[in-house]
Amino acid sequence: MSIVRKYSVRVLLGLLITAGISCADEKTSSLPVSSTSSESLDNEHPSLILTKAGVDKIRENLGSVPLFDTSLAAVKSEVDAEIAAGIETPIPKDYSGGYTHARHKKNFLILQKAGVLYQILDDEKYAIYIKDMLFQYEAMYKTLPKHPQTRSYARGKLFWQCLNDSNWLVYVSQAYDCVYNYLSAQERETLETNLFRPFADYISIENPQFYNRVHNHSTWGNAAVGMIGLVMNDKELIDRALYGIKGAGLQTGEKDNDGGFIYNKDGKAGFLANLEEPFSPDGYYTEGPYYQRYAMYPFLIFAEGLHNVKPEYKIFEHKDSVLLKSVNALLNLSDADGEFFPLNDGQKGMSYYSRELVTAVDIAYQYGGNNQGLLSIAEKQNKVLLDDSGLAVALGVKNGEAKPFEKKSINLTDGPDGKQGGVGILRYGNEDITLVFKYAAQGLSHGHYDKLSFSLYEREEEVLQDYGLARFVNIEQKGGGNYLKENTTWAKQTIAHNTLTINETSHFNGSYEIGSKHHSQLYLFDAENEAIQVVSAKETNAYGGIEMHRTLVMIKDDSFEKPYVLDIMKVLATENNQYDLPYYFMGQLMQTNFDYKTPNTLKALGAKNGYQHLYVEGVGTTTSPNAKILFLNEGKFYSLTTATNKTDKLYFTRIGATDPEFNLRRDAAFMIRRNNTKNTVFVSAIESHGGYSPVSEFAVNSNSSISEVNVVLDTAAYTGIRITDVNGTSRLFILANNTTSKDKSHSVTINNNEHQWTGAYYFK
Amino acid sequence: MSIVRKYSVRVLLGLLITAGISCADEKTSSLPVSSTSSESLDNEHPSLILTKAGVDKIRENLGSVPLFDTSLAAVKSEVDAEIAAGIETPIPKDYSGGYTHARHKKNFLILQKAGVLYQILDDEKYAIYIKDMLFQYEAMYKTLPKHPQTRSYARGKLFWQCLNDSNWLVYVSQAYDCVYNYLSAQERETLETNLFRPFADYISIENPQFYNRVHNHSTWGNAAVGMIGLVMNDKELIDRALYGIKGAGLQTGEKDNDGGFIYNKDGKAGFLANLEEPFSPDGYYTEGPYYQRYAMYPFLIFAEGLHNVKPEYKIFEHKDSVLLKSVNALLNLSDADGEFFPLNDGQKGMSYYSRELVTAVDIAYQYGGNNQGLLSIAEKQNKVLLDDSGLAVALGVKNGEAKPFEKKSINLTDGPDGKQGGVGILRYGNEDITLVFKYAAQGLSHGHYDKLSFSLYEREEEVLQDYGLARFVNIEQKGGGNYLKENTTWAKQTIAHNTLTINETSHFNGSYEIGSKHHSQLYLFDAENEAIQVVSAKETNAYGGIEMHRTLVMIKDDSFEKPYVLDIMKVLATENNQYDLPYYFMGQLMQTNFDYKTPNTLKALGAKNGYQHLYVEGVGTTTSPNAKILFLNEGKFYSLTTATNKTDKLYFTRIGATDPEFNLRRDAAFMIRRNNTKNTVFVSAIESHGGYSPVSEFAVNSNSSISEVNVVLDTAAYTGIRITDVNGTSRLFILANNTTSKDKSHSVTINNNEHQWTGAYYFK
């Protein structure tokens, strides 16, 4: 009976499509659908990621495409070792980082790979391995209770959270597709009835608070349900994947255990909503690159499956090809070593060498017009997917088509419509200097309270760091590998970032509810002239009644060895405030041009909002127009010169106070505190210069080239900064604060000299 | 007239040699000698480092030996740029790190290279450049007062200390040799009379407190005088170089500004004495590898010159070929990246990529029997000397003769006769794990008070660090690039090292005078079986009446992923003491198996002897038999398990207290404090295991494999340790504390089980 029903559904669907009824309409059809297994001709397998035609082509090319062959050999060796070690499906017990978690994670990764090997190598041992393991899971799953660990808002069964169960199904669906025809109809029936269908229902219908959201967790859930639906050719599951669960009642105000809202006021859910909401038209993912990387895999792998099984959905063209654009955006959100900028909750070290990015690069190459720059990334990854896209990439590399993936200055908007701020990246040369400026939206539950913060890189080295998250992902010994409480008390707080904290309170008072309603506004992004690049944005909601306007200028002047960064933070306030502007510099302090005192005992800078985690290592003041610090990091010298008032306090702080489990790194900052002040402007210049080699013991160009930085004009309409170098040459930068019109003429007089220009800024 | 006098000296010398009068006798001859210039046939130039025959061979091979050609091209490009920039010989003013210092240093390096280029390329522009610069120096030097900076015990003229003036002359002698025949006799006369001779006299006769010592400073001075003497063929200078200044009256008790004794009680001085005293028969240099590297250049370059000009001295065979052995010793004193272990005052990062080691490797290859292992180091250096030895190395590499330089476990004795302790290095695999155990003599003025300390490496990564020096060599902004006061107050102190401090007092009470009289005694070094390697030594003088006996065992057991280190520190004392045993672990603490408290404010651990530089970040105790810490460093997990008493206090400390100029790194330690105790034994096991990748986010083998470490026997005669792994398997290590005889039979009974063995230790 199942065959008959199945056949009729396929035929009817075909008729609908032929009749020009669009995909979006399909979900409203009330056709009877059900889970079935079939060997009918039109349900050919593999069809999801691998295809029959693709497998044929791969087999033809075996042994002649080095990158593909290398990747295949690596996968074979890994899977063979696992087969030799035997199958283990332990009763679930641990949090991430624990044994049962790691084992089940390993299992799904290996199952997917074994499936691919079965198809490519046509060696039955892989099919047997998959079948045996699937039936072990089937035997266990049918009576498996919820996972014993209770911390999650949506506990899984194999894992402590539905998120990881979804990971499992995304991968295992692919394995199932590969052995679909190897299994008997009876075997498939058993697996689908006892394992796959209940598994898909559990992570969706039984956990709508997990499944029916706009969130990276849900994307995994949607993809999991959709992929098993595609293999089982189950339209109900596919619809549930694409559009969410209809009428799932969620309470307003409920939160997940990362603090994110569960309730979605628009009621939008499912894969398409998850594609719609968090991605900007530029392909920036609102949670930041670390989570974009994580979400990339289900987005792209499900898209590839959908493309293969249901090409009529044209998923890769959806929202002006946002999926493909997102790969480009993500690659641009990395340093010279390919490591992603740790915006929001990002763990440092994650990079485009991750398996998710192998997927992303290969799929983007295959379905995004064979961008040859992607081939150079694939070469570095030294790994391709074992499917059609991976073969295409490996062939491209073999044929010498790779070109460098050039990263330039780029502005990436945030928000579904690109109107919720963004991230501006200024680059000089071949990523010699990179500045990352964040003026984005909150970034869902993984967002930090760091409006207008920035970080600075020299090639792959952090110069001014973004701390990233406070977590050791999957290291069981640190809080089960989950978020540590210092992520909330430190990493998310404003003071943990290179931006302004006012009155020792985080932006939006650290309230996710309020922060989620707002975003900064881009004021100017101009990177046309590499020698002077400007990014500027305003934030008016982080502190009620106060406007912060930060402008970062990357200037390459002939009298400087490398470009320097001019940092202008203008504040408009009607009340007296205390302003704290830290710079989390990396490396060791070499020198200052001001006196400071170091205390005998280290005490915390404050009691809350992150201040409790900072020790005060030194406090100074200066009567000079500028305070300057020199530091040495990874063999290079850096100087920070800041325009100071006599009453400014200059702090040296170090992270690590109130840290009873040594969860935080002992990193340093230089912080300017300005008290009892209304309107003000902070101006600093950050130079990279020279270097030191412990092998030659030569110190080269170890002194700042700047003799003075002065605020020469500070009105509502204009901010003017003079930078004087050690040879006495000076430059003037004036920003028009209220209009960036390219045609607008300006004229200001400073010290009896009139300066005239057209456009947003003056520089001479 | 000078020709006649010169000729007769040469003839007479030749007659003496022919007559079988040995080199050592030459210095006693009272032949009249003087400084002369000559174009006589037997005073052929170049003859010092380059030789006429060598230059011919180099020219023949130009363009066909890649490594040589690359090195030549690099040197040419560097020198051409300097020639283009013009000659600068500023009036001396600065300490090291300052402009005039760096400029004069650059000058001598470039002069030497220009000389070589003149010879090899036969391009007059290089000779002109040298001549012009030499005459600028000649014009300046004849009226130059002492250097204005007064910190040195032996102020130079071009530089703040005679040491650097000596550097200058060592290099410039080579340049002079290369243009000797280019210059007219009159020009030579002028240079020798106004520059070279007074220069040589100033650093020797006028500064005997610098010149007439056994010290790396003096070695430079000796070589400088000797090399210009060889070029000028001035026997008096050569003798002064080899044997020092006769009858120079030095006061007992005077010290240099590093705190080293100036007075030499044996009255020995000169190059041969400097070769005799600080080198052990194994080629270990008593100051440690950082200074050995520094001293290597004058030792070897002067030896090469002497070999070329006066082969009859057989300098490379001196003291059983100690110069050549020293190159092997030095290469063995490096980690997997070629960086030298920072014993004593060593700056981290210095490595066999330094120019001194290019010299050392090439000369050792040429004059030490063409060891093919050295070729692989030369390949890594990617640079050779532009002389006969460099050509030989480049030809060897070209001919594919390079073999890996294999570093194995090695014991290097200290002291002129090899009887003043030493440094034992245990290695496993291909430098997978390296342990460096120091039981040496004081190490002259650069020595630290760290008897029986050790450091531990995994490949090139420090696991348990030796702090090294507190100095930023040549970085002007940090104390003029010189030793910082924290070098004395912190880096030299015992508590700064992984060894035992008793009663908060450094070894020998931090007295250089007392420390210099003593050394530790090797008890056992046995590395025959890679699976169990032992180094053990005793120290009885660091604390009067107390014996410290430390034994380090590197054990590779099948049930462990990697070898672990068993650390046994046995103390015999008749009074109650406080013992502090720190481990300066690298990376971040992940977990402990005991409770500890972290204070709200950080205070220093003590008031002096280095304790004033340590903050107390946490203090704990345990009632368990063991305290265990887990830490993560550079993607690898490490566990330290230590046998504890209930009254032991377990400290987490961090360097950085009392550091008003941020001169110290904020590194951590775990420290065991045992109070009110006489005899005792500290036993710890240090494991490396597993790893974590921020890209895959997999944590592998992140837990210690040791469940317990117990002291099961602790008598004067024997120490027995049981190590039990997490699977319940246990091993017993018993050390005989008083005899290491291979033939001696032992029998001990522990818990009614009798254990019998022959030799120093039992392990089963």
Side-chain angles (χ1 to χ4, degrees), chain A residues 238-259:
Chain A
I238 298 170
D239 281 353
R240 197 194 297 169
L242 291 171
Y243 311 107
I245 310 161
K246 295 292 123 190
L250 296 176
Q251 296 298 310
T252 307
E254 278 189 51
K255 287 188 184 178
D256 65 23
N257 42 304
D258 293 330

Side-chain angles (χ1 to χ4, degrees), chain B residues 260-271:
Chain B
F261 288 120
I262 286 172
Y263 175 73
N264 178 348
K265 67 181 185 319
D266 305 328
K268 283 186 186 167
F271 189 79

Side-chain angles (χ1 to χ4, degrees), chain A residues 129-171:
Chain A
Y129 177 75
I130 294 167
K131 177 178 150 183
D132 290 350
M133 200 192 294
L134 288 181
F135 275 95
Q136 274 192 217
Y137 273 112
E138 184 265 347
M140 175 167 72
Y141 196 83
K142 52 193 174 191
T143 57
L144 201 62
K146 282 193 183 188
H147 194 279
Q149 302 291 356
T150 58
R151 196 189 300 162
S152 175
Y153 75 108
R155 286 152 67 190
K157 288 192 164 184
L158 293 179
F159 299 91
W160 70 282
Q161 51 179 355
C162 280
L163 170 62
N164 304 107
D165 280 45
S166 302
N167 300 157
W168 187 93
L169 191 56
V170 164
Y171 283 87

